Amino acid sequence: MQEKQIIGLLNDSFPPQIDGVANAVVNYGNILHARGFSPVVITPALPEAEDSPFPYPVLRYPSMDTRKGFGYMSGIPFSPSVAKRLDSVDVAVLHSHCPFASNFMGRALRNIVNAPLILTYHTRFEVDLARTIKSVHLRNSCKKILAENINACDEVWIVSEGTAQSLRCLGYEGDYVIMPNGVDVPRSRLSPEQVAAYTEGYDLPDGVPIYLFVGRMRWYKGIRMILDALATLKAKKLPYRMVFVGDGSDLPEIQGYARQLGLEDACIFTGAIRDREALRGWYARANLFLFPSTYDTNGLVVREAAASSLPSVLIAGSCASDGTTHNQNCFQVEENAQSLAACLLDLYGKEDYLRTIGEAASRELYLSWEDAVDNAIKRYDVVIDRYKSGFYPKRYKPVDNCIHLNAKLMEALSSLPFSK
């Protein structure tokens, strides 16, 4: 690709609202900018947003505050001001990272800027729909809308082979390209002095294994399985410390369940840690990373752990275990507490073996964001050439125009007093 080409990055979340996908967009923006391109982030308005620290423009379009119900702002996917801003420059690619409002916005803008639309599918949305929408009929209707929105893209990227199953569950039948995400921590361990500084103030006895979980405090991340497995270690009077890093709506219930099992003295809840160096301190301090999630599509935290040579325990066949090998660069268990407990018992006290597996994880699983975005840049060239040659069909253009017109009406309504 030619330097200074403009890349539109679209996502439903962006700092100060942060999650794994927002972090991906930040890294895309930062690295594209460092490589000499001109990224532009297009995202819903957030009242407390302060976008000036970013070295590239952040264009925000109208939104409704639905954070109490859904945790995110709901974007109204069209903005004349954003369209005018982009229409005056030569946009090379529109790259959406969410199949909801961001993708509708991308479809509307594609007609204006005449650039290909790529979607990276990061999250198992069929799980979210099943959890939040109880009506089977309504859930199926939402799946159909999502599938049509994904089908409207010129190219679809997935972050792991296992993510393809999620796409098929939504009804998407098209092709896809596997483009793994990277991690934004270097492949190295902090010094013992740094580790001690970042983890001081916690009850971490010498010689006691430290288990670590990093992620949202939600039951669907496999946290109940972790606690139930740890109860087996407690019953056998084996000492340990379990450190949970993260926040989430299920945190009070999780802490209550730990107390119910009598694990409160062995469990540490740090809350969210946004300082990446401090988080590296925990990866370096732990002996084993527990991530029994079947929800996550890529398991970036597994690769963050690998950056510090920390081995992971994963569910066999999960997306997080894609590209890993049991007893070579990770440990794989069945999706139940008994299997996880058996693994922890088998590995208890085997520090040298854990270091060997962790070093293999560092060599074989680590992927930097620099390498991931460089791979994306190469693929952008292919997509641009195909788009210019007419390779991609334009069968969705009438629908896109309808989106365009309806979104303009929604934006006008959002400015009325009753919508505030």
Side-chain angles (χ1 to χ4, degrees), residues 347-360:
L347 297 174
Y348 196 91
K350 298 181 179 178
E351 287 83 3
D352 290 342
Y353 181 50
L354 293 179
R355 279 193 289 271
T356 298
I357 301 298
E359 290 166 1

Side-chain angles (χ1 to χ4, degrees), residues 61-62 78-86 105 112 407-408 411:
Y61 56 91
F78 189 77
S79 168
S81 61
V82 170
K84 184 177 180 180
R85 178 86 174 265
L86 295 180
M105 184 70 168
I112 296 168
K408 287 179 71 174
E411 182 184 35

Side-chain angles (χ1 to χ4, degrees), residues 12-90:
D12 285 17
S13 60
F14 193 73
Q17 191 168 43
I18 192 69
D19 56 21
V21 183
N23 185 54
V25 175
V26 169
N27 279 283
Y28 261 88
N30 290 343
I31 295 166
L32 285 169
H33 181 267
R35 296 288 190 266
F37 297 97
S38 298
V40 177
V41 171
I42 305 157
T43 191
L46 192 63
E48 62 272 24
E50 175 52 62
D51 299 322
S52 58
F54 295 100
Y56 42 82
V58 178
L59 307 184
R60 295 194 179 263
Y61 56 91
S63 65
M64 295 178 289
D65 195 341
T66 53
R67 286 175 291 182
K68 288 185 178 179
F70 300 101
Y72 292 90
M73 301 293 289
S74 292
I76 300 171
F78 189 77
S79 168
S81 61
V82 170
K84 184 177 180 180
R85 178 86 174 265
L86 295 180
D87 191 31
S88 63
V89 296
D90 184 16

